[in-house]
Amino acid sequence: MAWLDLGLHLTGLWFGPDLATRLARHLLVDPAGREQRHYAGFRPPRGHGDAAVLGAQRRMDTGFADPLTVTALASHAGLSERSFLRRFQRATGLTPAAYLQRLRVEKARGALERGSDNTAEIGWAVGYRDSSAFARAFRSVTGLSPGAYRDRFRVTARQTPGP
């Protein structure tokens, strides 16, 4: 479906939204009904060349469940808060708070797909101390509630054939 989405997007850019809408109807495609963000994983950029920011990223990777502050991350990177914020955003394309949110949601996605803990426990394990805040953050990144995500993407163990 990605090729159809791309074709409709390019048609909209080159020929206008009216033709893109008519083409979607002709192809019996509902372009607004599909969400790709359910499937998109978080792969943070690491090849930016900023060693201080890379050190902060590694700190976030290992301590994502900790209450990480900009002050603590800037100190870890050896930068002032203002320089850290500017360089972090330039290197990653995200603010530290948005980066940490994406990282936590990515960890939660894995736990929801493979684990059996309830969503409140998973939220706590990835750094959210309020289950409703976890649910809001998860929905804002994936477009689904944690429970709906688990129902849709749970990985079940394979049954091995009996003797």
Side-chain angles (χ1 to χ4, degrees), residues 21-64:
T21 301
R22 288 187 301 156
L23 179 59
R25 283 189 188 140
H26 177 74
L27 296 173
L28 301 175
V29 174
D30 180 15
R34 290 189 311 277
E35 288 262 358
Q36 294 299 313
R37 65 184 172 154
H38 305 321
Y39 304 97
F42 179 56
R43 303 291 179 259
R46 304 258 187 223
H48 46 71
D50 191 327
V53 170
L54 190 56
Q57 285 179 281
R58 287 187 182 126
R59 171 67 182 106
M60 293 167 97
D61 289 343
T62 59
F64 61 88

Side-chain angles (χ1 to χ4, degrees), residues 73-139:
L73 290 169
S75 176
H76 181 80
L79 300 169
S80 70
E81 287 183 36
R82 184 179 166 123
S83 291
F84 173 71
L85 287 170
R86 182 177 40 80
R87 286 173 61 176
F88 192 92
Q89 180 132 16
R90 184 176 50 211
T92 66
L94 297 167
T95 65
Y99 183 97
L100 186 58
Q101 180 185 43
R102 292 274 189 97
L103 184 61
R104 287 175 170 171
V105 167
E106 186 65 22
K107 300 293 185 181
R109 287 168 64 148
L112 288 164
E113 290 169 8
R114 293 180 287 286
S116 61
D117 293 342
N118 68 45
T119 58
E121 291 169 333
I122 291 171
W124 184 271
V126 299
Y128 288 94
R129 301 303 175 241
D130 178 14
S131 58
S132 62
F134 168 60
R136 279 191 309 275
F138 194 90
R139 184 183 297 273

